[in-house]
Amino acid sequence: MAEGYVIGVDLGGTKLLAGAIGADLSVVHRTNRPVYGLSQDELVQMVADAVDEIRTAVGGRIEAIGFGIPCTFDSRSGMAVQAVNVPLRDIAFGSVMAERLGIPVVVDNDANCHTVCETRIGIAQGASEVALLTLGTGIGGGLLLRGEIYRGWIMGGAEMGHMVVEMNGRPCQGNCPNWGCLESVASGSALVREASLAVARRPDTALGQALEEGRELTGPMITELATAGDPVARGAIEKIGRALGVGLVNLVNTFNPQVIVIGGGVIAAGELLLAPAREVMLERALAPAKDVVRVEAARHGPEAGMIGAALLARDMAGGVSTGAIEAWPTSA
C-alpha cells in the first residue's frame, strides 16, 4: 500500500480502538480490544500488540503514532501521572512506546484527542471556543480556547469530568479521591447504576424482562430499550441528562463556549440525553452565554478519539508542534 500512514490509538476505560489512517483521513485497518483486569505491564503490552497488528495489516510506512489515553500528565517530565479508570500511573508512556515500537510517538489525554477531531473536522469545526465532554466509563474533558487546545500549566488541566457538582455527593469511581464529581452522576457507569436501582423498583417493563432473560445491564442495552420506549430506561437516561446539565451550567458560566460537544458511548442516547441537559442549562446558567451556546452530539462518535490522535501524529510527522507529549526512539 502507499506510504505515509499514521496510527491513532484511543484507550478508554473498557476498550481500546486503534486504526491506520491515510492522508485523506480514511481508516484502512481497525482493531478493537477489551481492557479488563489488566496490570499496567499487561496493558502496555496489549497496546503495543494492537499497534503491531495494524502495522502488519497495513504493510506500508507508518510516519508516527498518536495515543489518546485517559490520564493526567506532567509535561515537565513527560510522565503519565494518574488515570482514574485504567491501570496507568507514573509511566513515561510516550518514551516507552517509542522505544518498544521504534516509531515517533505523540501522547495526549484521550478527551483532548476527541476535541482535536471534533474541532478540526467535526461538529465544532470553525469554532474558536469549545468545551467537550466524553461520556463513557468515566467522563473526560477537553477545551479549545482561542483556537488552541488548552491543557493547563503542566498538562494536568481540563478534567471537567471531575468538577464537583454535589459537595457531599457519592464517592467518585476508580482512582479519583473526590466526592460528588460529574463523573459520579453522569457517566456511563452512573447510567447503569441508576437503571439498576430503577428497575429494581419497577421490574415489570421491557428492561426488567431483558434482565430476567439473562441480558447484561449495559449502557447500550439501556439506550436500545429507551429508544424503543421503555419508561424505566428512559427515566434513567433523563436523570443522567439532568445531572449532565449541571455540568453544562458550569462550563457555560466559566468558559462562555460557542459549542459544547458531547461524545463517548453514552451519546448514543441522542436527544433523550441532550434535551434534559439543555433544559437544566437554560434554567440555571447565566445570560447571555446560555442563549448562544450550541450543545451538540459529537459527529465522529466512538472514532473521534482515534482520529484525533492520528491527526496529532500527522502534525508531528509534518514537523508541526502538537503541544502534547512527543517522544522519539533513541535509534531514530
Side-chain angles (χ1 to χ4, degrees):
M1 301 183 74
E3 293 185 349
Y5 292 103
V6 293
I7 292 175
V9 180
D10 181 26
L11 178 63
T14 57
K15 64 181 180 300
L16 172 146
L17 177 63
I21 295 176
D24 61 353
L25 300 183
S26 61
V27 183
V28 297
H29 183 79
R30 294 172 177 83
T31 186
N32 191 328
R33 300 186 179 204
V35 180
Y36 291 113
L38 302 178
S39 68
Q40 177 164 284
D41 288 346
E42 290 168 338
L43 179 62
V44 168
Q45 185 61 53
M46 185 271 287
V47 172
D49 289 345
V51 172
D52 282 334
E53 175 194 324
I54 293 170
R55 283 203 292 189
T56 300
V58 170
R61 178 181 171 193
I62 303 298
E63 303 272 1
I65 306 170
F67 291 94
I69 63 176
C71 285
T72 55
F73 294 88
D74 188 334
S75 59
R76 298 169 298 181
S77 62
M79 299 291 283
V81 176
Q82 178 184 354
V84 172
N85 294 302
V86 296
L88 290 174
R89 188 177 187 89
D90 296 328
I91 176 174
F93 189 89
S95 297
V96 168
M97 284 297 166
E99 288 301 324
R100 186 167 297 202
L101 299 168
I103 296 175
V105 161
V106 58
V107 185
D108 206 345
N109 179 271
D110 59 336
N112 288 343
C113 294
H114 281 252
T115 307
V116 168
C117 176
E118 291 295 335
T119 55
R120 291 196 194 179
I121 62 170
I123 196 67
Q125 187 174 7
S128 64
E129 314 293 321
V130 179
L132 176 140
L133 296 173
T134 59
L135 277 57
T137 306
I139 295 181
L143 290 170
L144 187 83
L145 302 181
R146 298 181 179 176
E148 300 287 341
I149 297 293
Y150 180 79
R151 299 176 173 90
W153 174 43
I154 56 170
M155 285 189 70
E159 289 287 346
M160 281 99 73
H162 297 282
M163 71 174 84
V164 175
V165 294
E166 295 182 6
M167 181 176 177
N168 298 308
R170 62 181 295 113
C172 196
Q173 60 195 31
N175 298 316
C176 178
N178 206 354
W179 290 267
C181 293
L182 183 65
E183 180 168 304
S184 72
V185 294
S187 63
S189 302
L191 173 60
V192 171
R193 183 184 68 243
E194 290 300 333
S196 177
L197 293 172
V199 77
R201 293 189 293 266
R202 188 176 173 185
D204 58 338
T205 70
L207 184 58
Q209 183 177 349
L211 295 178
E212 278 192 20
E213 293 170 354
R215 290 186 65 184
E216 181 183 2
L217 184 63
T218 64
M221 187 258 266
I222 296 164
T223 297
E224 172 196 329
L225 294 179
T227 303
D230 181 89
V232 174
R234 291 174 76 96
I237 291 174
E238 180 180 359
K239 185 169 183 178
I240 293 300
R242 293 189 65 81
L244 173 63
V246 177
L248 301 190
V249 171
N250 289 313
L251 296 180
V252 168
N253 289 348
T254 304
F255 299 109
N256 179 203
Q258 292 165 271
V259 189
I260 299 176
V261 181
I262 309 298
V266 181
I267 196 55
E271 287 300 313
L272 293 175
L273 177 80
L274 291 184
R278 289 195 198 96
E279 182 180 352
V280 170
M281 181 200 74
L282 289 170
E283 288 171 356
R284 300 178 63 170
L286 296 173
K290 71 176 182 179
D291 300 318
V292 294
V293 66
R294 293 190 290 125
V295 180
E296 305 279 6
R299 178 175 294 164
H300 290 277
E303 295 202 331
M306 177 186 74
I307 295 169
L311 289 170
L312 290 177
R314 181 72 66 194
D315 288 348
M316 184 187 188
V320 177
S321 175
T322 63
I325 303 292
E326 298 179 355
W328 289 262
T330 54
S331 58

